[in-house]
mmCIF file of all heavy atoms in Angstrom:
data_model
loop_
_atom_site.group_PDB
_atom_site.id
_atom_site.type_symbol
_atom_site.label_atom_id
_atom_site.label_comp_id
_atom_site.label_asym_id
_atom_site.label_seq_id
_atom_site.Cartn_x
_atom_site.Cartn_y
_atom_site.Cartn_z
ATOM 1 N N ALA A 69 18.412 23.678 -19.221
ATOM 2 C CA ALA A 69 19.197 22.425 -19.150
ATOM 3 C C ALA A 69 18.865 21.758 -17.736
ATOM 4 O O ALA A 69 18.752 20.364 -17.815
ATOM 5 C CB ALA A 69 20.685 22.755 -19.222
ATOM 6 N N GLU A 70 18.813 22.462 -16.759
ATOM 7 C CA GLU A 70 18.537 21.791 -15.501
ATOM 8 C C GLU A 70 17.075 21.226 -15.430
ATOM 9 O O GLU A 70 16.825 20.092 -14.945
ATOM 10 C CB GLU A 70 18.619 22.823 -14.346
ATOM 11 C CG GLU A 70 18.380 22.209 -12.926
ATOM 12 C CD GLU A 70 18.573 23.194 -11.784
ATOM 13 O OE1 GLU A 70 19.001 24.344 -12.146
ATOM 14 O OE2 GLU A 70 18.286 22.955 -10.704
ATOM 15 N N GLY A 71 16.098 22.006 -16.038
ATOM 16 C CA GLY A 71 14.803 21.522 -16.056
ATOM 17 C C GLY A 71 14.613 20.239 -16.897
ATOM 18 O O GLY A 71 13.944 19.287 -16.556
ATOM 19 N N ILE A 72 15.285 20.272 -18.065
ATOM 20 C CA ILE A 72 15.180 19.088 -18.987
ATOM 21 C C ILE A 72 15.889 17.882 -18.349
ATOM 22 O O ILE A 72 15.309 16.764 -18.512
ATOM 23 C CB ILE A 72 15.941 19.399 -20.351
ATOM 24 C CG1 ILE A 72 15.014 20.465 -21.066
ATOM 25 C CG2 ILE A 72 16.110 18.206 -21.108
ATOM 26 C CD1 ILE A 72 15.705 21.105 -22.306
ATOM 27 N N SER A 73 16.968 18.090 -17.634
ATOM 28 C CA SER A 73 17.589 16.957 -17.085
ATOM 29 C C SER A 73 16.707 16.337 -15.982
ATOM 30 O O SER A 73 16.542 15.097 -15.918
ATOM 31 C CB SER A 73 18.902 17.438 -16.365
ATOM 32 O OG SER A 73 19.522 16.355 -15.663
ATOM 33 N N GLY A 74 15.990 17.214 -15.133
ATOM 34 C CA GLY A 74 15.057 16.703 -14.119
ATOM 35 C C GLY A 74 13.951 15.989 -14.755
ATOM 36 O O GLY A 74 13.452 14.907 -14.296
ATOM 37 N N LEU A 75 13.408 16.540 -15.919
ATOM 38 C CA LEU A 75 12.297 15.919 -16.643
ATOM 39 C C LEU A 75 12.703 14.572 -17.174
ATOM 40 O O LEU A 75 11.948 13.513 -17.089
ATOM 41 C CB LEU A 75 11.726 16.862 -17.679
ATOM 42 C CG LEU A 75 10.930 17.979 -17.188
ATOM 43 C CD1 LEU A 75 10.606 18.927 -18.377
ATOM 44 C CD2 LEU A 75 9.557 17.567 -16.567
ATOM 45 N N ASP A 76 13.798 14.543 -17.688
ATOM 46 C CA ASP A 76 14.294 13.154 -18.297
ATOM 47 C C ASP A 76 14.434 12.102 -17.189
ATOM 48 O O ASP A 76 14.073 10.913 -17.386
ATOM 49 C CB ASP A 76 15.630 13.361 -19.000
ATOM 50 C CG ASP A 76 15.538 14.127 -20.309
ATOM 51 O OD1 ASP A 76 14.373 14.205 -20.802
ATOM 52 O OD2 ASP A 76 16.582 14.692 -20.875
ATOM 53 N N LEU A 77 15.001 12.565 -16.054
ATOM 54 C CA LEU A 77 15.072 11.555 -14.984
ATOM 55 C C LEU A 77 13.695 11.107 -14.475
ATOM 56 O O LEU A 77 13.501 9.895 -14.195
ATOM 57 C CB LEU A 77 15.804 12.328 -13.776
ATOM 58 C CG LEU A 77 15.896 11.451 -12.433
ATOM 59 C CD1 LEU A 77 16.566 10.100 -12.697
ATOM 60 C CD2 LEU A 77 16.532 12.256 -11.391
ATOM 61 N N ALA A 78 12.700 12.121 -14.382
ATOM 62 C CA ALA A 78 11.398 11.812 -14.008
ATOM 63 C C ALA A 78 10.777 10.814 -14.959
ATOM 64 O O ALA A 78 10.043 9.822 -14.604
ATOM 65 C CB ALA A 78 10.557 13.007 -13.874
ATOM 66 N N VAL A 79 11.039 11.012 -16.267
ATOM 67 C CA VAL A 79 10.444 10.035 -17.211
ATOM 68 C C VAL A 79 11.021 8.658 -17.140
ATOM 69 O O VAL A 79 10.320 7.673 -17.204
ATOM 70 C CB VAL A 79 10.670 10.671 -18.663
ATOM 71 C CG1 VAL A 79 10.380 9.582 -19.721
ATOM 72 C CG2 VAL A 79 9.830 11.905 -18.890
ATOM 73 N N ARG A 80 12.307 8.636 -16.950
ATOM 74 C CA ARG A 80 12.928 7.274 -16.654
ATOM 75 C C ARG A 80 12.287 6.591 -15.403
ATOM 76 O O ARG A 80 12.028 5.405 -15.379
ATOM 77 C CB ARG A 80 14.457 7.447 -16.494
ATOM 78 C CG ARG A 80 15.158 7.784 -17.760
ATOM 79 C CD ARG A 80 16.637 7.537 -17.758
ATOM 80 N NE ARG A 80 17.286 8.331 -16.664
ATOM 81 C CZ ARG A 80 17.679 9.572 -16.800
ATOM 82 N NH1 ARG A 80 17.609 10.142 -18.071
ATOM 83 N NH2 ARG A 80 18.307 10.253 -15.756
ATOM 84 N N GLN A 81 12.102 7.386 -14.339
ATOM 85 C CA GLN A 81 11.586 6.809 -13.167
ATOM 86 C C GLN A 81 10.059 6.357 -13.321
ATOM 87 O O GLN A 81 9.668 5.305 -12.832
ATOM 88 C CB GLN A 81 11.657 7.849 -11.996
ATOM 89 C CG GLN A 81 13.096 8.116 -11.591
ATOM 90 C CD GLN A 81 13.154 9.227 -10.517
ATOM 91 O OE1 GLN A 81 12.318 10.085 -10.452
ATOM 92 N NE2 GLN A 81 14.188 9.191 -9.690
ATOM 93 N N LEU A 82 9.298 7.133 -14.190
ATOM 94 C CA LEU A 82 7.974 6.792 -14.469
ATOM 95 C C LEU A 82 7.969 5.416 -15.267
ATOM 96 O O LEU A 82 7.097 4.615 -15.056
ATOM 97 C CB LEU A 82 7.291 7.847 -15.079
ATOM 98 C CG LEU A 82 6.932 9.150 -14.412
ATOM 99 C CD1 LEU A 82 6.362 10.206 -15.283
ATOM 100 C CD2 LEU A 82 6.033 8.875 -13.290
ATOM 101 N N ARG A 83 8.900 5.301 -16.172
ATOM 102 C CA ARG A 83 8.952 4.110 -16.932
ATOM 103 C C ARG A 83 9.193 2.873 -16.065
ATOM 104 O O ARG A 83 8.713 1.818 -16.221
ATOM 105 C CB ARG A 83 9.935 4.199 -18.039
ATOM 106 C CG ARG A 83 9.442 5.156 -19.175
ATOM 107 C CD ARG A 83 10.596 5.357 -20.208
ATOM 108 N NE ARG A 83 10.148 6.222 -21.357
ATOM 109 C CZ ARG A 83 10.945 6.870 -22.213
ATOM 110 N NH1 ARG A 83 12.287 6.743 -22.060
ATOM 111 N NH2 ARG A 83 10.499 7.638 -23.072
ATOM 112 N N ASP A 84 10.166 3.108 -15.138
ATOM 113 C CA ASP A 84 10.537 2.012 -14.189
ATOM 114 C C ASP A 84 9.321 1.718 -13.259
ATOM 115 O O ASP A 84 9.110 0.563 -13.036
ATOM 116 C CB ASP A 84 11.656 2.458 -13.313
ATOM 117 C CG ASP A 84 13.117 2.440 -14.052
ATOM 118 O OD1 ASP A 84 13.105 1.793 -15.087
ATOM 119 O OD2 ASP A 84 14.008 3.066 -13.613
ATOM 120 N N LEU A 85 8.611 2.708 -12.851
ATOM 121 C CA LEU A 85 7.435 2.557 -12.046
ATOM 122 C C LEU A 85 6.420 1.769 -12.820
ATOM 123 O O LEU A 85 5.713 0.878 -12.333
ATOM 124 C CB LEU A 85 6.864 3.862 -11.640
ATOM 125 C CG LEU A 85 5.718 3.904 -10.586
ATOM 126 C CD1 LEU A 85 6.169 3.278 -9.350
ATOM 127 C CD2 LEU A 85 5.236 5.283 -10.408
ATOM 128 N N LEU A 86 6.224 2.188 -14.155
ATOM 129 C CA LEU A 86 5.245 1.446 -14.973
ATOM 130 C C LEU A 86 5.579 -0.025 -15.136
ATOM 131 O O LEU A 86 4.722 -0.905 -15.175
ATOM 132 C CB LEU A 86 5.126 2.090 -16.266
ATOM 133 C CG LEU A 86 4.030 1.614 -17.249
ATOM 134 C CD1 LEU A 86 2.691 1.712 -16.656
ATOM 135 C CD2 LEU A 86 4.144 2.278 -18.620
#
Side-chain angles (χ1 to χ4, degrees):
E70 182 178 354
I72 290 170
S73 176
L75 287 171
D76 288 342
L77 174 60
V79 169
R80 290 196 299 272
Q81 291 175 335
L82 289 173
R83 287 172 179 165
D84 286 341
L85 186 63
L86 184 62

